[in-house]
């Protein structure tokens, strides 16, 4: 009887051991599943982190692009406001490549005007030819309105060839009055040779500031200065 009891106990132990083995196998499987899920979660976390960084970079790029776009819009608005000031805006002169500048290329700005100083050694031009050249550039020969502008112009010209040569300005005599190309009458009278009977005017370098305009004939060939209103943004 004792032996049978022991056998019974042994069988029960075997069954419990087998049960434990099964539970251990189940636990191992669950552990594997859990580890797989953890790995998946880690992969998802890495992917989400990478996507977050990607979107952060995209957001920064969009912010930069938006700032650039806002600056471009502001520039276009400023351009539009400046262009409105012109009756016939010379876009080909100020915006040759679609980007507008205060002054055309190779022109010099002084206050609200731009100046083109023709400094080539040759060919020089008559007063009429000079004015025609300026008009092709949507401008006119320079109109000197005050001493400050006279000082600026005088500082930009140079001596060339001889004392008789200078730069044509937009001043000529009409009905015994000296009239600028904008049809205003001259009030400065910075003449070097006031007694001359010639009807057109040049400004010369080798003379005092307020005595540097010389009367000259139209056919005499000189350098010249063009002026156009600046595109103020």
């Amino acid at each position: 009887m004792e032996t049978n009891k022991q056998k019974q106990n042994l069988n029960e132990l075997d069954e419990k051991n087998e049960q434990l083995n099964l539970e251990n196998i189940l636990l191992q499987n669950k552990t594997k599943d859990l580890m797989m899920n953890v790995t998946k979660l880690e992969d998802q976390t890495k992917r989400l982190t990478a996507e977050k960084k990607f979107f952060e970079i995209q957001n920064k790029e969009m912010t930069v692009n938006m700032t650039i776009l806002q600056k471009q819009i502001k520039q276009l608005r400023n351009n539009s406001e400046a262009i409105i000031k012109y009756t016939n805006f010379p876009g080909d002169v100020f915006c040759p490549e679609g980007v507008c500048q205060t002054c055309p290329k190779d022109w010099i700005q002084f206050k609200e005007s731009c100046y083109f100083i023709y400094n080539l050694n040759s060919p020089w031009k008559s007063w009429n030819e000079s004015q025609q050249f300026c008009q092709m550039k949507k401008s006119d020969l320079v109109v000197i309105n005050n001493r400050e502008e006279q000082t600026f112009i005088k500082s930009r010209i140079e001596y060339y060839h001889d004392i008789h040569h200078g730069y044509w300005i937009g001043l000529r005599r009409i009905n015994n009055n000296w009239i600028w190309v904008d049809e205003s009458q001259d009030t400065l009278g910075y003449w070097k040779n006031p007694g001359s009977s010639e009807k057109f005017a040049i400004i010369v370098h080798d003379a005092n500031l307020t005595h540097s305009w010389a009367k000259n004939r139209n056919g005499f060939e000189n350098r010249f200065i063009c002026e156009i209103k600046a595109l103020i943004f």
Side-chain angles (χ1 to χ4, degrees), residues 124-138:
W124 303 324
K125 298 180 184 297
S126 67
W127 190 94
N128 282 342
E129 290 171 340
S130 300
Q131 173 66 349
Q132 289 171 5
F133 179 96
C134 292
Q135 289 177 337
M136 287 176 59
K137 300 290 184 181
K138 309 299 175 61

Side-chain angles (χ1 to χ4, degrees), residues 33-69:
D33 291 340
L34 182 61
M35 292 300 296
M36 288 179 64
N37 289 333
V38 168
T39 301
K40 287 180 180 179
L41 286 172
E42 287 176 346
D43 290 341
Q44 287 179 344
T45 301
K46 289 179 181 178
R47 180 173 57 79
L48 289 172
T49 301
E51 288 179 354
K52 181 184 177 183
K53 289 182 179 179
F54 173 76
F55 286 123
E56 286 176 348
I57 292 171
Q58 275 196 329
N59 186 55
K60 288 181 181 178
E61 290 179 351
M62 287 178 66
T63 301
V64 171
N65 291 336
M66 186 175 294
T67 301
I68 293 172
L69 184 59

Side-chain angles (χ1 to χ4, degrees), residues 5-231:
K5 189 174 181 180
Q6 289 178 352
K7 285 182 178 179
Q8 185 177 355
N9 290 337
L10 183 61
N11 289 333
E12 289 177 355
L13 288 172
D14 287 338
E15 289 178 358
K16 287 182 178 180
N17 184 57
E18 186 176 353
Q19 181 67 30
L20 288 173
N21 285 334
L22 288 173
E23 290 178 357
N24 184 51
I25 291 171
L26 289 173
L27 183 61
Q28 288 179 351
N29 290 335
K30 286 182 178 179
T31 302
K32 286 180 182 179
D33 291 340
L34 182 61
M35 292 300 296
M36 288 179 64
N37 289 333
V38 168
T39 301
K40 287 180 180 179
L41 286 172
E42 287 176 346
D43 290 341
Q44 287 179 344
T45 301
K46 289 179 181 178
R47 180 173 57 79
L48 289 172
T49 301
E51 288 179 354
K52 181 184 177 183
K53 289 182 179 179
F54 173 76
F55 286 123
E56 286 176 348
I57 292 171
Q58 275 196 329
N59 186 55
K60 288 181 181 178
E61 290 179 351
M62 287 178 66
T63 301
V64 171
N65 291 336
M66 186 175 294
T67 301
I68 293 172
L69 184 59
Q70 287 173 344
K71 288 181 179 179
Q72 289 176 340
I73 291 171
K74 183 178 180 181
Q75 183 66 42
L76 286 172
R77 185 178 293 113
N78 291 339
N79 288 352
S80 298
E81 291 174 355
I83 289 168
I84 289 171
K85 297 177 184 178
Y86 286 82
T87 304
N88 295 304
F89 177 68
D92 56 331
V93 175
F94 285 95
C95 317
E97 297 178 0
V99 179
C100 296
Q101 304 294 329
T102 303
C103 286
K105 184 180 178 182
D106 300 325
W107 291 58
I108 305 167
Q109 182 184 4
F110 176 70
K111 294 199 170 180
E112 295 186 357
S113 290
C114 303
Y115 301 85
F116 176 79
I117 301 175
Y118 186 91
N119 269 326
L120 296 181
N121 289 328
S122 63
W124 303 324
K125 298 180 184 297
S126 67
W127 190 94
N128 282 342
E129 290 171 340
S130 300
Q131 173 66 349
Q132 289 171 5
F133 179 96
C134 292
Q135 289 177 337
M136 287 176 59
K137 300 290 184 181
K138 309 299 175 61
S139 62
D140 287 295
L141 284 171
V142 63
V143 175
I144 301 175
N145 292 301
N146 50 57
R147 185 187 180 104
E148 191 177 7
E149 189 173 15
Q150 166 78 357
T151 302
F152 167 76
I153 296 295
K154 187 78 163 47
S155 70
R156 291 290 178 169
I157 62 175
E158 61 186 34
Y159 177 88
Y160 71 98
H161 196 64
D162 60 31
I163 61 172
H164 303 293
H165 283 76
Y167 294 74
W168 288 119
I169 58 178
L171 185 62
R172 77 279 200 206
R173 183 159 56 186
I174 300 175
N175 298 327
N176 213 33
N177 293 312
W178 284 94
I179 307 297
W180 293 100
V181 290
D182 65 358
E183 299 184 358
S184 63
Q185 186 166 338
D186 177 59
T187 58
L188 299 175
Y190 292 155
W191 296 111
K192 178 182 179 182
N193 57 343
S196 172
S197 61
E198 300 298 343
K199 297 182 178 181
F200 297 86
I202 59 173
I203 183 171
V204 296
H205 177 272
D206 192 21
N208 293 332
L209 178 67
T210 57
H211 296 84
S212 55
W213 297 354
K215 299 175 183 179
N216 214 320
R217 68 181 186 277
N218 182 24
F220 196 72
E221 294 183 341
N222 290 284
R223 296 176 179 180
F224 56 91
I225 305 167
C226 302
E227 180 182 7
I228 191 172
K229 184 168 63 174
L231 183 61

